[in-house]
């Protein structure tokens, strides 16, 4: 079970996450990423077939803004 969340305070709008995992990550008008599954709440379980691309997004983010946990995110962690 995995959940993902983007720390928008550290995202520099590089675009790598959405390129790696377009089904999970999208960008707002300023290019800041968010998780499209749940409006960046980090509370929607990511289906297993997306784990590989989610891991790619995690590894590709230059600012470590892509977060992954095995439980739902609570506040801005
Ligand atoms: Fe931002 Fe990292 Fe994605 S900087 S656009 S969260 S790859």
């Amino acid at each position: 079970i995995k959940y993902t969340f983007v720390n928008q305070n550290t995202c520099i709008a590089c675009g790598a996450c959405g390129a790696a995992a377009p089904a999970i990550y999208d960008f707002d008008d300023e290019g800041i990423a968010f998780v499209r599954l749940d409006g960046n709440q980090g509370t929607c379980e990511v289906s297993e077939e997306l784990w590989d691309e989610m891991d790619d997004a995690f590894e590709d983010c230059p600012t470590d803004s892509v977060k992954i946990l095995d439980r739902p995110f609570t506040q801005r962690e």
Side-chain angles (χ1 to χ4, degrees):
I1 298 174
K2 291 191 182 185
Y3 298 82
T4 184
F5 164 73
V6 174
N7 183 344
Q8 297 185 315
N9 294 320
T10 57
C11 172
I12 56 169
C14 86
C17 55
I24 303 175
Y25 305 100
D26 202 354
F27 308 101
D28 69 14
D29 290 344
E30 292 172 344
I32 302 298
F34 63 91
V35 176
R36 54 195 303 165
L37 306 173
D38 55 16
N40 207 44
Q41 296 304 298
T43 54
C44 179
E45 192 179 324
V46 180
S47 63
E48 199 163 345
E49 65 257 29
L50 294 174
W51 287 5
D52 279 349
E53 52 189 274
M54 179 171 65
D55 286 339
D56 287 343
F58 174 82
E59 286 168 15
D60 289 350
C61 180
T63 59
D64 293 332
S65 300
V66 172
K67 308 296 186 185
I68 298 172
L69 282 181
D70 58 5
R71 58 168 173 78
F73 285 81
T74 52
Q75 291 302 310
R76 294 294 172 254
E77 45 196 333

PDB file of all heavy atoms in Angstrom, residues 1-2 6 8-9 13 15 20-21 24-25 28 30 33-34 37 43-44 46-48 50 53 59 64-65 74 76-77:
ATOM      1  N   ILE A   1       0.857  -1.194   0.000  1.00  0.00           N
ATOM      2  CA  ILE A   1       0.000   0.000   0.000  1.00  0.00           C
ATOM      3  C   ILE A   1       0.884   1.231   0.000  1.00  0.00           C
ATOM      4  O   ILE A   1       1.786   1.333   0.820  1.00  0.00           O
ATOM      5  CB  ILE A   1      -0.927   0.009   1.242  1.00  0.00           C
ATOM      6  CG1 ILE A   1      -1.843  -1.212   1.192  1.00  0.00           C
ATOM      7  CG2 ILE A   1      -1.732   1.284   1.295  1.00  0.00           C
ATOM      8  CD1 ILE A   1      -2.700  -1.382   2.414  1.00  0.00           C
ATOM      9  N   LYS A   2       0.628   2.124  -0.954  1.00  0.00           N
ATOM     10  CA  LYS A   2       1.450   3.327  -1.030  1.00  0.00           C
ATOM     11  C   LYS A   2       0.597   4.562  -1.288  1.00  0.00           C
ATOM     12  O   LYS A   2      -0.426   4.495  -1.982  1.00  0.00           O
ATOM     13  CB  LYS A   2       2.494   3.205  -2.143  1.00  0.00           C
ATOM     14  CG  LYS A   2       3.575   2.166  -1.845  1.00  0.00           C
ATOM     15  CD  LYS A   2       4.718   2.262  -2.829  1.00  0.00           C
ATOM     16  CE  LYS A   2       5.762   1.192  -2.544  1.00  0.00           C
ATOM     17  NZ  LYS A   2       6.934   1.330  -3.398  1.00  0.00           N
ATOM     18  N   VAL A   6       3.012  15.759  -2.920  1.00  0.00           N
ATOM     19  CA  VAL A   6       4.058  16.679  -3.356  1.00  0.00           C
ATOM     20  C   VAL A   6       4.172  17.820  -2.352  1.00  0.00           C
ATOM     21  O   VAL A   6       3.175  18.478  -2.036  1.00  0.00           O
ATOM     22  CB  VAL A   6       3.767  17.258  -4.750  1.00  0.00           C
ATOM     23  CG1 VAL A   6       4.793  18.336  -5.113  1.00  0.00           C
ATOM     24  CG2 VAL A   6       3.770  16.159  -5.803  1.00  0.00           C
ATOM     25  N   GLN A   8       4.678  21.195  -2.012  1.00  0.00           N
ATOM     26  CA  GLN A   8       4.646  22.329  -2.942  1.00  0.00           C
ATOM     27  C   GLN A   8       5.493  23.494  -2.459  1.00  0.00           C
ATOM     28  O   GLN A   8       5.761  24.422  -3.217  1.00  0.00           O
ATOM     29  CB  GLN A   8       3.199  22.762  -3.170  1.00  0.00           C
ATOM     30  CG  GLN A   8       2.383  21.646  -3.831  1.00  0.00           C
ATOM     31  CD  GLN A   8       0.982  22.064  -4.184  1.00  0.00           C
ATOM     32  OE1 GLN A   8       0.291  22.695  -3.387  1.00  0.00           O
ATOM     33  NE2 GLN A   8       0.555  21.725  -5.390  1.00  0.00           N
ATOM     34  N   ASN A   9       5.931  23.444  -1.208  1.00  0.00           N
ATOM     35  CA  ASN A   9       6.802  24.496  -0.697  1.00  0.00           C
ATOM     36  C   ASN A   9       8.221  24.355  -1.216  1.00  0.00           C
ATOM     37  O   ASN A   9       8.972  25.338  -1.250  1.00  0.00           O
ATOM     38  CB  ASN A   9       6.822  24.464   0.833  1.00  0.00           C
ATOM     39  CG  ASN A   9       5.470  24.808   1.418  1.00  0.00           C
ATOM     40  OD1 ASN A   9       4.790  25.700   0.920  1.00  0.00           O
ATOM     41  ND2 ASN A   9       5.086  24.096   2.450  1.00  0.00           N
ATOM     42  N   ALA A  13       9.009  23.329  -9.812  1.00  0.00           N
ATOM     43  CA  ALA A  13       8.317  23.252 -11.101  1.00  0.00           C
ATOM     44  C   ALA A  13       9.224  22.729 -12.211  1.00  0.00           C
ATOM     45  O   ALA A  13       9.169  23.197 -13.338  1.00  0.00           O
ATOM     46  CB  ALA A  13       7.725  24.618 -11.484  1.00  0.00           C
ATOM     47  N   GLY A  15       9.117  19.701 -13.449  1.00  0.00           N
ATOM     48  CA  GLY A  15       8.309  18.904 -14.375  1.00  0.00           C
ATOM     49  C   GLY A  15       8.663  17.444 -14.476  1.00  0.00           C
ATOM     50  O   GLY A  15       8.003  16.694 -15.199  1.00  0.00           O
ATOM     51  N   ALA A  20       7.523  11.507 -15.599  1.00  0.00           N
ATOM     52  CA  ALA A  20       7.735  10.107 -15.240  1.00  0.00           C
ATOM     53  C   ALA A  20       6.415   9.392 -14.964  1.00  0.00           C
ATOM     54  O   ALA A  20       6.262   8.217 -15.293  1.00  0.00           O
ATOM     55  CB  ALA A  20       8.635  10.017 -14.008  1.00  0.00           C
ATOM     56  N   ALA A  21       5.479  10.088 -14.349  1.00  0.00           N
ATOM     57  CA  ALA A  21       4.228   9.458 -13.918  1.00  0.00           C
ATOM     58  C   ALA A  21       3.043  10.384 -14.179  1.00  0.00           C
ATOM     59  O   ALA A  21       2.440  10.926 -13.249  1.00  0.00           O
ATOM     60  CB  ALA A  21       4.321   9.108 -12.434  1.00  0.00           C
ATOM     61  N   ILE A  24      -0.236  10.171 -12.263  1.00  0.00           N
ATOM     62  CA  ILE A  24      -0.265  10.514 -10.841  1.00  0.00           C
ATOM     63  C   ILE A  24      -0.082  12.009 -10.627  1.00  0.00           C
ATOM     64  O   ILE A  24      -0.790  12.621  -9.828  1.00  0.00           O
ATOM     65  CB  ILE A  24       0.842   9.767 -10.072  1.00  0.00           C
ATOM     66  CG1 ILE A  24       0.690   8.255 -10.258  1.00  0.00           C
ATOM     67  CG2 ILE A  24       0.801  10.141  -8.588  1.00  0.00           C
ATOM     68  CD1 ILE A  24       1.822   7.457  -9.631  1.00  0.00           C
ATOM     69  N   TYR A  25       0.896  12.608 -11.330  1.00  0.00           N
ATOM     70  CA  TYR A  25       1.263  13.993 -11.047  1.00  0.00           C
ATOM     71  C   TYR A  25       0.847  14.916 -12.189  1.00  0.00           C
ATOM     72  O   TYR A  25       1.011  14.589 -13.360  1.00  0.00           O
ATOM     73  CB  TYR A  25       2.780  14.112 -10.812  1.00  0.00           C
ATOM     74  CG  TYR A  25       3.259  13.180  -9.738  1.00  0.00           C
ATOM     75  CD1 TYR A  25       3.881  11.978 -10.076  1.00  0.00           C
ATOM     76  CD2 TYR A  25       3.061  13.475  -8.396  1.00  0.00           C
ATOM     77  CE1 TYR A  25       4.300  11.089  -9.095  1.00  0.00           C
ATOM     78  CE2 TYR A  25       3.477  12.585  -7.411  1.00  0.00           C
ATOM     79  CZ  TYR A  25       4.096  11.402  -7.766  1.00  0.00           C
ATOM     80  OH  TYR A  25       4.494  10.522  -6.792  1.00  0.00           O
ATOM     81  N   ASP A  28       0.006  22.821 -11.683  1.00  0.00           N
ATOM     82  CA  ASP A  28      -0.909  23.965 -11.675  1.00  0.00           C
ATOM     83  C   ASP A  28      -0.423  25.024 -12.668  1.00  0.00           C
ATOM     84  O   ASP A  28       0.526  24.795 -13.428  1.00  0.00           O
ATOM     85  CB  ASP A  28      -1.075  24.523 -10.253  1.00  0.00           C
ATOM     86  CG  ASP A  28       0.174  25.211  -9.717  1.00  0.00           C
ATOM     87  OD1 ASP A  28       1.099  25.518 -10.504  1.00  0.00           O
ATOM     88  OD2 ASP A  28       0.216  25.456  -8.496  1.00  0.00           O
ATOM     89  N   GLU A  30       1.285  27.519 -12.459  1.00  0.00           N
ATOM     90  CA  GLU A  30       2.667  27.968 -12.298  1.00  0.00           C
ATOM     91  C   GLU A  30       3.665  26.828 -12.409  1.00  0.00           C
ATOM     92  O   GLU A  30       4.854  27.012 -12.160  1.00  0.00           O
ATOM     93  CB  GLU A  30       2.806  28.686 -10.955  1.00  0.00           C
ATOM     94  CG  GLU A  30       2.039  29.991 -10.973  1.00  0.00           C
ATOM     95  CD  GLU A  30       1.951  30.679  -9.630  1.00  0.00           C
ATOM     96  OE1 GLU A  30       2.221  30.028  -8.615  1.00  0.00           O
ATOM     97  OE2 GLU A  30       1.591  31.865  -9.627  1.00  0.00           O
ATOM     98  N   ALA A  33       3.789  21.055  -8.983  1.00  0.00           N
ATOM     99  CA  ALA A  33       3.170  19.735  -9.105  1.00  0.00           C
ATOM    100  C   ALA A  33       2.155  19.478  -8.003  1.00  0.00           C
ATOM    101  O   ALA A  33       2.240  20.022  -6.894  1.00  0.00           O
ATOM    102  CB  ALA A  33       4.251  18.658  -9.068  1.00  0.00           C
ATOM    103  N   PHE A  34       1.189  18.614  -8.340  1.00  0.00           N
ATOM    104  CA  PHE A  34       0.262  18.104  -7.328  1.00  0.00           C
ATOM    105  C   PHE A  34      -0.122  16.678  -7.718  1.00  0.00           C
ATOM    106  O   PHE A  34       0.025  16.274  -8.866  1.00  0.00           O
ATOM    107  CB  PHE A  34      -0.972  18.992  -7.188  1.00  0.00           C
ATOM    108  CG  PHE A  34      -1.829  19.084  -8.433  1.00  0.00           C
ATOM    109  CD1 PHE A  34      -2.880  18.197  -8.632  1.00  0.00           C
ATOM    110  CD2 PHE A  34      -1.585  20.045  -9.388  1.00  0.00           C
ATOM    111  CE1 PHE A  34      -3.683  18.272  -9.774  1.00  0.00           C
ATOM    112  CE2 PHE A  34      -2.373  20.126 -10.539  1.00  0.00           C
ATOM    113  CZ  PHE A  34      -3.432  19.239 -10.725  1.00  0.00           C
ATOM    114  N   LEU A  37      -4.612  12.381  -8.127  1.00  0.00           N
ATOM    115  CA  LEU A  37      -5.530  11.361  -7.610  1.00  0.00           C
ATOM    116  C   LEU A  37      -6.440  11.912  -6.524  1.00  0.00           C
ATOM    117  O   LEU A  37      -7.584  11.486  -6.385  1.00  0.00           O
ATOM    118  CB  LEU A  37      -4.738  10.178  -7.030  1.00  0.00           C
ATOM    119  CG  LEU A  37      -3.707   9.522  -7.948  1.00  0.00           C
ATOM    120  CD1 LEU A  37      -2.905   8.491  -7.179  1.00  0.00           C
ATOM    121  CD2 LEU A  37      -4.400   8.883  -9.139  1.00  0.00           C
ATOM    122  N   THR A  43      -3.984  11.063   0.388  1.00  0.00           N
ATOM    123  CA  THR A  43      -4.863  10.136   1.096  1.00  0.00           C
ATOM    124  C   THR A  43      -5.466   9.073   0.188  1.00  0.00           C
ATOM    125  O   THR A  43      -6.195   8.200   0.663  1.00  0.00           O
ATOM    126  CB  THR A  43      -6.011  10.900   1.774  1.00  0.00           C
ATOM    127  OG1 THR A  43      -6.679  11.704   0.783  1.00  0.00           O
ATOM    128  CG2 THR A  43      -5.483  11.810   2.863  1.00  0.00           C
ATOM    129  N   CYS A  44      -5.164   9.131  -1.107  1.00  0.00           N
ATOM    130  CA  CYS A  44      -5.708   8.156  -2.050  1.00  0.00           C
ATOM    131  C   CYS A  44      -4.638   7.101  -2.343  1.00  0.00           C
ATOM    132  O   CYS A  44      -3.536   7.436  -2.770  1.00  0.00           O
ATOM    133  CB  CYS A  44      -6.139   8.851  -3.339  1.00  0.00           C
ATOM    134  SG  CYS A  44      -6.799   7.738  -4.574  1.00  0.00           S
ATOM    135  N   VAL A  46      -2.344   4.595  -4.095  1.00  0.00           N
ATOM    136  CA  VAL A  46      -1.858   4.523  -5.474  1.00  0.00           C
ATOM    137  C   VAL A  46      -1.892   3.065  -5.933  1.00  0.00           C
ATOM    138  O   VAL A  46      -1.314   2.202  -5.269  1.00  0.00           O
ATOM    139  CB  VAL A  46      -0.425   5.076  -5.574  1.00  0.00           C
ATOM    140  CG1 VAL A  46       0.078   5.000  -7.009  1.00  0.00           C
ATOM    141  CG2 VAL A  46      -0.373   6.515  -5.062  1.00  0.00           C
ATOM    142  N   SER A  47      -2.539   2.803  -7.048  1.00  0.00           N
ATOM    143  CA  SER A  47      -2.659   1.414  -7.503  1.00  0.00           C
ATOM    144  C   SER A  47      -1.291   0.854  -7.877  1.00  0.00           C
ATOM    145  O   SER A  47      -0.397   1.579  -8.343  1.00  0.00           O
ATOM    146  CB  SER A  47      -3.632   1.304  -8.668  1.00  0.00           C
ATOM    147  OG  SER A  47      -3.165   2.018  -9.772  1.00  0.00           O
ATOM    148  N   GLU A  48      -1.153  -0.443  -7.675  1.00  0.00           N
ATOM    149  CA  GLU A  48       0.162  -1.065  -7.749  1.00  0.00           C
ATOM    150  C   GLU A  48       0.796  -0.950  -9.134  1.00  0.00           C
ATOM    151  O   GLU A  48       2.020  -0.884  -9.254  1.00  0.00           O
ATOM    152  CB  GLU A  48       0.041  -2.539  -7.331  1.00  0.00           C
ATOM    153  CG  GLU A  48       1.364  -3.141  -6.947  1.00  0.00           C
ATOM    154  CD  GLU A  48       1.203  -4.436  -6.154  1.00  0.00           C
ATOM    155  OE1 GLU A  48       0.095  -4.717  -5.668  1.00  0.00           O
ATOM    156  OE2 GLU A  48       2.213  -5.146  -6.032  1.00  0.00           O
ATOM    157  N   LEU A  50       1.024   1.484 -10.890  1.00  0.00           N
ATOM    158  CA  LEU A  50       1.657   2.795 -11.034  1.00  0.00           C
ATOM    159  C   LEU A  50       2.894   2.957 -10.150  1.00  0.00           C
ATOM    160  O   LEU A  50       3.544   4.002 -10.181  1.00  0.00           O
ATOM    161  CB  LEU A  50       0.643   3.899 -10.696  1.00  0.00           C
ATOM    162  CG  LEU A  50      -0.544   4.023 -11.654  1.00  0.00           C
ATOM    163  CD1 LEU A  50      -1.539   5.053 -11.126  1.00  0.00           C
ATOM    164  CD2 LEU A  50      -0.082   4.394 -13.054  1.00  0.00           C
ATOM    165  N   GLU A  53       6.358   3.826 -11.991  1.00  0.00           N
ATOM    166  CA  GLU A  53       6.523   5.207 -12.451  1.00  0.00           C
ATOM    167  C   GLU A  53       6.514   6.189 -11.286  1.00  0.00           C
ATOM    168  O   GLU A  53       7.183   7.223 -11.330  1.00  0.00           O
ATOM    169  CB  GLU A  53       5.508   5.579 -13.537  1.00  0.00           C
ATOM    170  CG  GLU A  53       4.073   5.329 -13.269  1.00  0.00           C
ATOM    171  CD  GLU A  53       3.246   5.542 -14.536  1.00  0.00           C
ATOM    172  OE1 GLU A  53       2.869   6.686 -14.790  1.00  0.00           O
ATOM    173  OE2 GLU A  53       2.977   4.569 -15.271  1.00  0.00           O
ATOM    174  N   GLU A  59      12.559   9.387  -7.674  1.00  0.00           N
ATOM    175  CA  GLU A  59      14.006   9.447  -7.890  1.00  0.00           C
ATOM    176  C   GLU A  59      14.419  10.631  -8.753  1.00  0.00           C
ATOM    177  O   GLU A  59      15.518  11.168  -8.606  1.00  0.00           O
ATOM    178  CB  GLU A  59      14.486   8.138  -8.533  1.00  0.00           C
ATOM    179  CG  GLU A  59      14.497   6.985  -7.548  1.00  0.00           C
ATOM    180  CD  GLU A  59      14.687   5.633  -8.229  1.00  0.00           C
ATOM    181  OE1 GLU A  59      15.086   5.613  -9.411  1.00  0.00           O
ATOM    182  OE2 GLU A  59      14.434   4.617  -7.571  1.00  0.00           O
ATOM    183  N   ASP A  64      13.632  16.568  -3.900  1.00  0.00           N
ATOM    184  CA  ASP A  64      13.010  15.617  -2.968  1.00  0.00           C
ATOM    185  C   ASP A  64      11.616  16.068  -2.535  1.00  0.00           C
ATOM    186  O   ASP A  64      11.224  15.872  -1.377  1.00  0.00           O
ATOM    187  CB  ASP A  64      13.900  15.401  -1.728  1.00  0.00           C
ATOM    188  CG  ASP A  64      15.197  14.694  -2.086  1.00  0.00           C
ATOM    189  OD1 ASP A  64      15.206  13.924  -3.065  1.00  0.00           O
ATOM    190  OD2 ASP A  64      16.195  14.925  -1.391  1.00  0.00           O
ATOM    191  N   SER A  65      10.891  16.674  -3.461  1.00  0.00           N
ATOM    192  CA  SER A  65       9.540  17.148  -3.136  1.00  0.00           C
ATOM    193  C   SER A  65       8.482  16.074  -3.303  1.00  0.00           C
ATOM    194  O   SER A  65       7.382  16.199  -2.774  1.00  0.00           O
ATOM    195  CB  SER A  65       9.189  18.345  -4.018  1.00  0.00           C
ATOM    196  OG  SER A  65      10.109  19.396  -3.819  1.00  0.00           O
ATOM    197  N   THR A  74      -0.857  12.795   6.615  1.00  0.00           N
ATOM    198  CA  THR A  74      -1.766  13.531   7.482  1.00  0.00           C
ATOM    199  C   THR A  74      -1.664  15.006   7.144  1.00  0.00           C
ATOM    200  O   THR A  74      -2.295  15.467   6.219  1.00  0.00           O
ATOM    201  CB  THR A  74      -1.454  13.267   8.959  1.00  0.00           C
ATOM    202  OG1 THR A  74      -0.064  13.507   9.201  1.00  0.00           O
ATOM    203  CG2 THR A  74      -1.784  11.835   9.321  1.00  0.00           C
ATOM    204  N   ARG A  76       1.141  18.363   6.450  1.00  0.00           N
ATOM    205  CA  ARG A  76       2.205  18.606   5.482  1.00  0.00           C
ATOM    206  C   ARG A  76       3.519  18.056   5.977  1.00  0.00           C
ATOM    207  O   ARG A  76       4.331  18.774   6.548  1.00  0.00           O
ATOM    208  CB  ARG A  76       2.298  20.112   5.192  1.00  0.00           C
ATOM    209  CG  ARG A  76       1.067  20.618   4.492  1.00  0.00           C
ATOM    210  CD  ARG A  76       0.978  20.009   3.111  1.00  0.00           C
ATOM    211  NE  ARG A  76      -0.273  20.309   2.432  1.00  0.00           N
ATOM    212  CZ  ARG A  76      -1.254  19.426   2.256  1.00  0.00           C
ATOM    213  NH1 ARG A  76      -1.153  18.210   2.725  1.00  0.00           N
ATOM    214  NH2 ARG A  76      -2.329  19.759   1.603  1.00  0.00           N
ATOM    215  N   GLU A  77       3.715  16.780   5.806  1.00  0.00           N
ATOM    216  CA  GLU A  77       4.939  16.163   6.300  1.00  0.00           C
ATOM    217  C   GLU A  77       5.936  15.981   5.184  1.00  0.00           C
ATOM    218  O   GLU A  77       5.608  16.042   4.046  1.00  0.00           O
ATOM    219  CB  GLU A  77       4.647  14.836   6.957  1.00  0.00           C
ATOM    220  CG  GLU A  77       3.702  13.953   6.182  1.00  0.00           C
ATOM    221  CD  GLU A  77       3.154  12.831   7.047  1.00  0.00           C
ATOM    222  OE1 GLU A  77       3.821  12.433   8.006  1.00  0.00           O
ATOM    223  OE2 GLU A  77       2.056  12.379   6.779  1.00  0.00           O
TER     224      GLU A  77
END
